[in-house]
Amino acid sequence: MKSVSQYRYTNKADQILFAGIINNHQIKKNTVSFVLPRNWFVISKTNLVKAGKDIKKNTKKTVSKQLKDYLQEHPKEATNKSAIQREENELLKKYTKKTLVKYSKN
């Protein structure tokens, strides 16, 4: 959303009073507002670096363990590569979100 404020002299008294000043219709103030989705995180740069290191270090171990547990619970899925990939992607999303929540300011 963008909001723009301008100088505007609409009545004759103001036009006469400010006749020497040529800022009529010039921009006084620009305001830009961003509406972010609820699933976005507010995180500082240092915490983002920490979260990135945490994700890089622990993702493979954590997700592979959870995927192994999933395949033990669902042995029929072990031969279906697309189901394994889909579950792995879901586990990656969950772990990444959990880590970002841990380091975020929310």
Side-chain angles (χ1 to χ4, degrees):
M1 183 173 85
K2 185 176 181 179
S3 168
V4 178
S5 298
Q6 295 178 333
Y7 292 101
R8 184 169 289 149
Y9 307 116
T10 54
N11 62 27
K12 285 290 182 188
D14 285 345
Q15 288 176 357
I16 292 169
L17 183 62
F18 297 104
I21 302 171
I22 53 173
N23 65 352
N24 195 20
H25 296 288
Q26 283 185 343
I27 294 175
K28 185 180 355 179
K29 180 173 72 170
N30 248 342
T31 305
V32 179
S33 302
F34 296 98
V35 180
L36 300 176
R38 294 182 133 205
N39 62 351
W40 282 36
F41 298 97
V42 177
I43 189 166
S44 69
K45 187 177 178 180
T46 55
N47 282 347
L48 183 62
V49 170
K50 289 177 187 176
K53 287 179 182 177
D54 190 353
I55 289 170
K56 212 180 251 188
K57 180 180 176 185
N58 299 321
T59 301
K60 197 173 208 178
K61 179 176 62 173
T62 304
V63 170
S64 64
K65 182 187 178 307
Q66 291 175 347
L67 189 60
K68 187 177 177 182
D69 293 344
Y70 171 79
L71 290 175
Q72 285 179 349
E73 291 175 17
H74 305 90
K76 292 181 181 179
E77 299 290 330
T79 57
N80 188 351
K81 289 185 180 185
S82 65
I84 293 171
Q85 186 65 43
R86 188 172 46 250
E87 184 63 26
E88 185 178 19
N89 288 339
E90 286 299 314
L91 291 171
L92 282 169
K93 284 181 192 176
K94 287 178 186 176
Y95 180 74
T96 304
K97 182 178 180 181
K98 181 180 170 185
T99 305
L100 288 174
V101 167
K102 181 173 131 181
Y103 287 99
S104 72
K105 296 177 182 179
N106 294 352

